[in-house]
Amino acid sequence: MVQPCTGEYLDGMQLQDPDAPVDSGLNLGPQSRRILSRIGIRTLGELQRAGSVEAYLLCKELDEPVSLNLLWALEGALTGKPWQSIARERRQDLLTAMKAALAGR
C-alpha cells in the first residue's frame, strides 16, 4: 500500500533502485527527466523523497508548460502504475493534496 501522494511505501518496501535515473521509472521519459532535473530531481530516490505533489508543484513554478498528466505520471512512477490508472483511481486524492500543499505555502 502506498501513502497518498508521496510514493512512500507503507509496508516498508523501497524502490528497486533509488539511484536509477528518473526517466527509468514507469511513465517518465526524456522530457520529464529534463524538467525534473531543473528542480534538482535526477533519480527515482530523489523523486520519492520529494513526493509526486511537491515535485509537480516545483515543476509548475518553471517556465515550462506542465499539465496534470505530469502529476499522474510522477505518482505512477512511484507506485509502479500507468499514469492513466492514477488519473482514474487517485485523481481526487492528488488534487486535494495539491490544494493543501498550496495553502501551506
Side-chain angles (χ1 to χ4, degrees), residues 10-90:
L10 295 179
D11 59 7
M13 291 178 60
Q14 297 296 316
L15 294 172
Q16 261 190 324
D17 184 1
D19 295 325
V22 73
D23 62 344
S24 66
L26 185 64
N27 306 311
L28 302 176
Q31 180 72 358
S32 300
R33 180 190 68 222
R34 186 183 63 74
I35 293 170
L36 289 167
S37 73
R38 289 188 60 201
I39 62 166
I41 294 177
R42 292 174 179 80
T43 67
L44 290 173
E46 290 169 342
L47 176 58
Q48 184 179 33
R49 285 187 291 282
S52 58
V53 170
E54 183 62 21
Y56 173 77
L57 291 175
L58 290 171
C59 289
K60 288 285 288 179
E61 293 175 3
L62 301 174
D63 59 346
E64 298 274 353
V66 175
S67 74
L68 284 171
N69 284 343
L70 179 61
L71 177 58
W72 317 145
L74 293 170
E75 185 69 10
L78 293 174
T79 60
K81 294 184 177 183
W83 70 267
Q84 299 91 333
S85 69
I86 298 294
R88 282 191 310 273
E89 299 166 9
R90 310 255 341 266

